[in-house]
Amino acid sequence: MEISTATFVISSPKVEGCPKPDMPEYAFIGRSNVGKSSLINMLTGQKNLAKTSNTPGKTQLINHFLANKSFYIVDLPGYGFAKVSQNTRASWEKMIEKYLKERENLVTVFVLIDSRHNPQKLDLDFLRNLGEWGIPFNVIFTKADKSTQRDAARNAKMFIEEMKKEWEFIPRSFMTSSVKNLGKKEILGYISELNQVYKEEKSAN
Ligand code: GDP
């Protein structure tokens, strides 16, 4: 699959402001600076669809983009800002939890992990929350071009080993580089498969 059209739909401060849940939806989340905007731009083939390098913690909006007029790509505000207040963090958590739990058309959450680092507690904690809430997710390792292939693969493996300590089933993960277009085909192929399943389930109901 290719994304031939991708347009900005709306930025919502709350889940209530999101578009009608009438199409399958894929959310992207991760620490600030993990490469989320760059990844969304790579997947959609547009340079400036998602805004790269926003001021950390300033805007906490749920951003909807419509792809191929048939599914939503959702850019969620990042976590792990060093300098945000307790209040900001609490409101982020509340908003994200509500969005993830209530958005009935959410097919999976892509959690982005920087492939340059060892497994980080903050990311593992976030995945644990998803598990507790019963939200399906996949992991996307980012910035593969920034280290050697061997180091990126080793960090990804270590992260998955950490996950195995807590999870029986490890969902599919992807290695990506937005600079090299690495992982694009795989992620879009996966979304296309999930779109098909979504369609079949809808027509069966
Ligand atoms: P966000 O805050 O998660 O949306 O991250 P951005 O997409 O704004 O990326 C943060 C920084 O990392 C920017 O300077 C990007 O140019 C850079 N970056 C993002 N993805 C990649 C990548 O795959 N490779 C390299 N080399 N740099 C990247």
Side-chain angles (χ1 to χ4, degrees):
M1 178 177 75
E2 279 283 328
I3 294 183
S4 52
T5 60
T7 51
F8 169 74
V9 181
I10 195 167
S11 290
S12 329
K14 292 182 185 173
V15 65
E16 287 83 1
C18 292
K20 217 166 88 188
D22 52 1
M23 285 183 238
E25 177 156 314
Y26 302 87
F28 293 78
I29 197 164
R31 272 174 181 236
S32 76
N33 218 36
V34 70
K36 179 166 50 76
S37 310
S38 306
L39 184 91
I40 291 174
N41 290 338
M42 169 180 85
L43 293 176
T44 55
Q46 293 194 24
K47 276 210 172 99
N48 298 309
L49 189 65
K51 305 270 183 297
T52 50
S53 302
N54 283 331
T55 315
K58 270 268 161 79
T59 43
Q60 299 210 323
L61 297 168
I62 303 166
N63 298 301
H64 273 78
F65 303 99
L66 179 62
N68 288 353
K69 300 192 174 108
S70 59
F71 64 95
Y72 289 119
I73 288 178
V74 181
D75 184 0
L76 293 173
Y79 54 87
F81 303 110
K83 288 186 188 141
V84 304
S85 65
Q86 285 284 347
N87 264 353
T88 310
R89 192 162 303 160
S91 75
W92 178 87
E93 281 172 8
K94 231 164 86 185
M95 176 177 92
I96 295 298
E97 180 175 351
K98 200 164 149 60
Y99 165 84
L100 295 170
K101 284 181 172 171
E102 291 185 8
R103 202 65 185 154
E104 66 205 61
N105 58 332
L106 180 64
V107 178
T108 190
V109 183
F110 290 107
V111 181
L112 275 56
I113 307 290
D114 194 322
S115 67
R116 290 174 299 173
H117 306 312
N118 289 341
Q120 306 282 306
K121 182 175 181 304
L122 197 62
D123 294 320
L124 292 162
D125 286 349
F126 183 70
L127 293 185
R128 193 172 307 117
N129 284 338
L130 291 180
E132 277 166 17
W133 300 333
I135 313 289
F137 68 86
N138 295 90
V139 170
I140 294 182
F141 297 100
T142 61
K143 306 189 186 181
D145 62 286
K146 284 217 171 193
S147 15
T148 62
Q149 203 180 352
R150 196 170 144 178
D151 283 351
R154 191 200 55 209
N155 287 333
K157 186 161 177 255
M158 274 167 63
F159 192 86
I160 286 165
E161 289 304 321
E162 281 301 315
M163 285 172 69
K164 281 186 183 160
K165 291 181 185 165
E166 295 184 44
W167 307 74
E168 246 169 72
F169 172 73
I170 304 297
R172 191 162 161 193
S173 61
F174 301 88
M175 181 62 76
T176 66
S177 159
S178 301
V179 170
K180 300 208 159 162
N181 263 349
L182 178 75
K184 177 176 178 176
K185 207 173 107 211
E186 289 76 11
I187 294 171
L188 292 181
Y190 180 63
I191 290 177
S192 170
E193 280 170 34
L194 294 178
N195 277 341
Q196 194 55 37
V197 173
Y198 185 92
K199 215 159 112 189
E200 283 161 15
E201 280 173 1
K202 276 274 153 190
S203 61
N205 286 330

